[in-house]
Amino acid sequence: MKNKALCLSAAMILLMASCKVNDKAQASASKAYEGKEMTDEYDGKINELVSKMTLEEKVGMLHGYSMFTNKGVERLGIPEVHMADGPLGIREELERMSWAPLHLETDYATYFPAGGGLSATWNPAMANLFGTSIGEEARAREKDVLLAPAFNIIRTPLGGRTFEYMTEDPFLNKSLVVPYVVGVQDQNVAACIKHYAANNQETNRGSVDVNMDERTLREVYLPAFEAAVKDAKAYSVMGAYNKFRGDYLCENKYMLQDILRDEWGFKGIVISDWDAVHSTKKALEAGTDLEMGTNAPSFDEFWLANPLIKAVKEGKVAEAEIDKHVKRTLKMLYTLKAMGDATDRVKGSINTEAHFKNAYAIASESVVLLKNSANMLPLQTEGVKSIAVIGANATAKHAQGGFGAGVKTKREVTPLDALKAKLPQSITINYAKGYETKFKPKANIKYGDVTVERAETINELDPKMVAEAVAAAKKSDVAILFVGANRDYETEASDRVDLKLPFGQEALISAVKAANPKTIVVFVAGSPYDLNQVEKENQTILWSWYNGSEGGNALADVILGKVNPSGKLPWTMPKRIEDSPAHATNSFPGGATEEYKEGILVGYRWFDTKNIAPLYPFGYGLSYTTFELANAKTDKESYTKDETITVTLDLKNTGKADGKEVVQLYVSKAESKVQRSAKELKGFAKTAVKVGNSEKVSIEVPVKELAYYDIATKSWVVEPGTYTFKLGTSSRDIKAEVSVTVE
């Protein structure tokens, strides 16, 4: 990769680590990152250790013996495997035998942007920075396994974990997951990639039986897992809650053995999601290595605890089978330098200014400018005497909340905090909360069983609070509304009921806009919402995420123009929920069984193939400047199946500010023997261009990326013929096309 739009040099990595992210270009694909294989150096020692272990000691290594460890063998120098949740940062320390926090003063951590924010950067270098930073924090807390990243495909906009997961596209997912995993594991911490696999809803997540055709599985739901295993060399995989084709994922031989180990060559350990194991012999022999979190009276009653010892003594399970799983765990511990004679295991660092800067770097590239038709952004403060700051999300903190894991942090800068610090002192800020984020508890809810909110949302506005907001807007030169959701509303273990904005915010936005035409609407959320009315009534809309310790500073810098927004939507925002594929086909949320009737047409693939207009398309995001794409061409006209296609173009900044643009490459093929979507993302490059300048952008597409999965031959097939590369700035904004022939 000689072109500067692709080359990731050591100097550039250093710049990234220092948060100096003004490089002319960043890596366009994950292939700039390569993981390290698990070590075979200690296999002889491992065999010797296992030969000295009792059956009870071996079994102790295969199940939880505290909330986040298995059992070590002290007499043989085998430590426990220490695990930590980490979607947003390293979780605070808990009591060994319960979910109760220890309330320590030593377990504060950096709050990093949620998966939605990271993926909106469209920048593999940011994913690597994220992985490196959170890996360092895990090591500082002496963890061996980070239970992250989570990157199941976003199949429905209503998914409770959409804020945490990454994207609706398999190529973008793997382009971010690989550098993330490499970053984590370079810190001597195993990344536990999750949730394997087809875990795309929270509704009935512990029991739903997912069914889809093999081509859909291979082309949409497995590519990021495959890349994480083959390219990043992930050391652990988390088995999901759901069933797949009749078998729970943690006892699914096809997924855990046939694909994961036999096809992909996975050498690490499979860790169950907490309480996702339902059998002893079947789970073990299918490939589960470590059972965690099972709801049993004691740790000894887990499926892979006393019941496994009993099964061995009764001759139902061979002790050699147990040895195989123990050896995998020992291999991982030696690879991580938790065992052996290595003295250079990474020490790590946590809650540092360097990590806060890294969190800022990611957040500042994630903010998406949805609309700016009145050119109110960036906000010009000259002559402005007062600004109304309105909305609960101006002061809300999102590091904690919801059903899933959060992070205890000493720093979470809110938008109001940041604006107070960054606006000229001569400007008066008139704050009004505007709405309450209230819930009314529902009775008899079992999370993960049904599509519900954690509680019934109270959508009626308080007239007094609305009056205060309107008054603040009227007496101010400009109004900035901070609305959206929070991590109680978007939460693990519960999918949303619909796309409606909660808490009566739609009416509040209308009232504030009527009171002050100069209103900027800022969303802080992780999932799509119905913004039809908001989009119609407002000229200026900005989208941010649960964006970490420095999220407020990043957002304020975008509003004030210190940072030119370069974020792109990692999913499609529909006009109606009925337009989204899983809902258009009436196949969500399903019941006992969930049939993925939309097949390969997930996300933008459905919208573009069915010619359904979204509110905002996949890959969409505006800038404070304008760009022009020109001179698109390929290095050749015809290619064989083993070659790589290089597409180049000139990207010119034709506006009035320096900025970054994400050039996206989509592939189409007419006259195919199989169903294809109208276009599929197969490359992208994020490039910085100064005002008036032009940069050469180069995107490499291996011909094998054009393959489809042939069910009959159980293999990937590159179909000969003409392929059209569509280059643009979203799935719907195509600026140039170039065609090639594959022989």
Side-chain angles (χ1 to χ4, degrees), residues 157 239 542:
L542 201 61

Side-chain angles (χ1 to χ4, degrees), residues 174-226:
K174 72 179 183 180
S175 297
L176 299 172
V177 166
V178 169
Y180 181 122
V181 171
V182 171
V184 170
Q185 295 191 164
D186 279 350
Q187 311 313 309
N188 303 140
V189 176
C192 186
I193 57 175
K194 63 184 190 181
H195 306 85
Y196 183 74
N199 183 187
N200 308 103
Q201 64 187 62
E202 297 302 283
T203 305
N204 300 325
R205 69 177 185 176
S207 60
V208 65
D209 186 5
V210 172
N211 283 290
M212 69 180 82
D213 65 86
E214 191 71 8
R215 186 178 169 212
T216 297
L217 175 69
R218 300 290 186 146
E219 292 189 18
V220 177
Y221 295 97
L222 291 188
F225 285 102
E226 183 175 4

